[in-house]
Amino acid sequence: MRSILAVAIVAVVAASTSSASAFSAFAPPSSYRPSSASFARRTASRWNSKDTGLRMSDEAEEDEEGGRRDGWYPGQNLINVDKEIIAFDELYMGSSKDLVLFLPNLKLGRDCNQADAVLKHCIRTGRNFLSLDYYARGDSSGDIMDATLSRWVEDSITMLVNAARHVDHGRATRKAVLVGHATGSWVAVLVALRRPDLVRGIVGIGADPDFTEDLVWKSLSDEDKDTIMTDGYKEIKWGKLKETYMITSNLIEDGRSNLILRGGKESLEIDCPVRLIHDLNDAEVSCDTSLRLAECLKSEDVVVSVPKGALTGVPDAIDQCFEATA
């Protein structure tokens, strides 16, 4: 059956509210974010992969049959081949073959309201969930001067390949639905371009692909541009909210090698379902960016929603991606 391209513009004036849910044994980050010291492992379980050089620390408890217990395992570390740590949280659901990977924005990292909302939906629907901090962000290690889109994409692929190994592949041997928040949406698209076998679908929340060039660089004075390229970095206040960001020359130059909105209609070889949700009142990134991204995608199963004042519809978007690839 031929898929139908649907670019729907939906204006929703009132923000939606949701009642609290019972999470049984699972504690989402908003109600449980212990200090680093309290992440000490209750077991010394570790595994090694001879072919990748990776090892993952794991505080999972065993059930009566010696298997891993379903539950919420925050504060885990994947130690990459270059000895850098990728910090991540995991909701493990051993009987589920569905996986959601949350990719955060540039500012907040994995400890944010958007990640909490996605986690709670995974708890309700019984799906596996992963969220990570990018290289040199949040609890992950690394030098901020070397933090780039390319590095974040590679770390996201590393996470998909090496975590949640119990998850079988879905349609066309694909593994996870990626939920990207702002910059995370750019990362999600790049992951899908490089490893389509890992991506069942994409949900973009306030997507800002090409922001380094189209939004940040264009807004800078010549003096600020010279400082970034001469000194290697500068803290700038950007956007209508005047948030402070560390902008490095590496981030700008690497961003130019990863621009995805320049090729025009259906220029991006992505054929999985994509749902883009963008607040009409977004103070930093225009909803036109999500519309441009939709036009560039080759997939015919694309829906753009533009609620007004609240980012509603993320749970439904996740469900639709799984249903389309069942």
Side-chain angles (χ1 to χ4, degrees), residues 39-69:
F39 283 152
R41 302 292 177 264
R42 290 190 294 273
T43 72
S45 172
R46 290 184 181 273
W47 60 266
N48 294 278
S49 173
K50 296 179 181 178
D51 54 339
T52 65
L54 296 165
R55 73 181 188 275
M56 184 183 294
S57 58
D58 186 356
E59 67 171 3
E61 297 176 344
E62 291 186 351
D63 60 21
E64 293 82 357
E65 298 179 354
R68 191 180 185 193
R69 290 184 184 274

Side-chain angles (χ1 to χ4, degrees), residues 67-121:
R68 191 180 185 193
R69 290 184 184 274
D70 287 357
W72 171 240
Y73 298 101
Q76 297 188 71
N77 294 326
L78 190 153
I79 304 173
N80 215 332
V81 290
D82 59 2
K83 309 304 181 185
E84 299 291 355
I85 292 172
I86 306 173
F88 71 100
D89 299 331
E90 178 183 18
L91 175 68
Y92 174 80
M93 305 293 284
S95 62
S96 173
K97 303 306 179 184
D98 290 345
L99 171 64
V100 174
L101 173 64
F102 180 84
L103 299 168
N105 70 4
L106 189 65
K107 187 76 172 178
L108 298 177
R110 77 189 198 277
D111 190 3
C112 64
N113 292 335
Q114 290 78 11
D116 286 3
V118 174
L119 167 61
K120 290 174 183 177
H121 183 62

Side-chain angles (χ1 to χ4, degrees), residues 9-262:
I9 309 302
V10 183
V12 181
V13 177
S16 64
T17 58
S18 60
S19 58
S21 302
F23 299 127
S24 63
F26 307 122
S30 55
S31 59
Y32 176 53
R33 177 64 66 182
S35 65
S36 297
S38 66
F39 283 152
R41 302 292 177 264
R42 290 190 294 273
T43 72
S45 172
R46 290 184 181 273
W47 60 266
N48 294 278
S49 173
K50 296 179 181 178
D51 54 339
T52 65
L54 296 165
R55 73 181 188 275
M56 184 183 294
S57 58
D58 186 356
E59 67 171 3
E61 297 176 344
E62 291 186 351
D63 60 21
E64 293 82 357
E65 298 179 354
R68 191 180 185 193
R69 290 184 184 274
D70 287 357
W72 171 240
Y73 298 101
Q76 297 188 71
N77 294 326
L78 190 153
I79 304 173
N80 215 332
V81 290
D82 59 2
K83 309 304 181 185
E84 299 291 355
I85 292 172
I86 306 173
F88 71 100
D89 299 331
E90 178 183 18
L91 175 68
Y92 174 80
M93 305 293 284
S95 62
S96 173
K97 303 306 179 184
D98 290 345
L99 171 64
V100 174
L101 173 64
F102 180 84
L103 299 168
N105 70 4
L106 189 65
K107 187 76 172 178
L108 298 177
R110 77 189 198 277
D111 190 3
C112 64
N113 292 335
Q114 290 78 11
D116 286 3
V118 174
L119 167 61
K120 290 174 183 177
H121 183 62
C122 288
I123 292 171
R124 287 192 294 268
T125 55
R127 295 187 177 116
N128 295 277
F129 169 87
L130 294 169
S131 60
L132 77 158
D133 281 337
Y134 302 126
Y135 174 87
R137 299 284 177 178
D139 295 327
S140 292
S141 64
D143 186 340
I144 189 64
M145 298 295 290
D146 297 325
T148 62
L149 263 295
S150 294
R151 176 63 194 240
W152 299 336
V153 170
E154 290 305 317
D155 284 350
S156 299
I157 291 172
T158 296
M159 180 62 59
L160 282 170
V161 170
N162 293 280
R165 290 190 169 190
H166 67 290
V167 175
D168 290 340
H169 297 308
R171 186 189 68 173
T173 70
R174 299 183 181 188
K175 186 170 184 178
V177 169
L178 310 185
V179 179
H181 180 215
T183 305
S185 300
W186 190 1
V187 173
V189 171
L190 292 171
V191 170
L193 288 170
R194 297 180 190 182
R195 289 295 305 272
D197 58 303
L198 295 175
V199 183
R200 287 180 66 175
I202 297 172
V203 177
I205 307 171
D208 64 358
D210 298 8
F211 83 92
T212 51
E213 196 71 13
D214 293 344
L215 301 178
V216 174
W217 194 252
K218 280 187 177 180
S219 71
L220 296 177
S221 66
D222 289 341
E223 180 181 358
D224 285 341
K225 291 177 181 178
D226 288 342
T227 299
I228 290 171
M229 291 305 175
T230 301
D231 297 343
Y233 74 97
K234 182 177 175 60
E235 288 190 346
I236 67 164
K237 290 187 181 297
W238 171 67
K240 295 179 181 179
L241 299 179
K242 298 301 180 184
E243 295 273 6
T244 300
Y245 294 86
M246 170 77 82
I247 302 299
T248 67
S249 57
N250 281 338
L251 181 65
I252 295 296
E253 291 170 345
D254 180 78
R256 288 171 179 160
S257 68
N258 286 294
L259 300 176
I260 60 175
L261 299 180
R262 268 61 181 168

Side-chain angles (χ1 to χ4, degrees), residues 263-277:
K265 187 175 181 180
E266 298 187 2
S267 57
L268 299 175
E269 293 288 334
I270 291 176
D271 61 1
C272 66
V274 178
R275 301 294 182 265
L276 301 174
I277 303 170

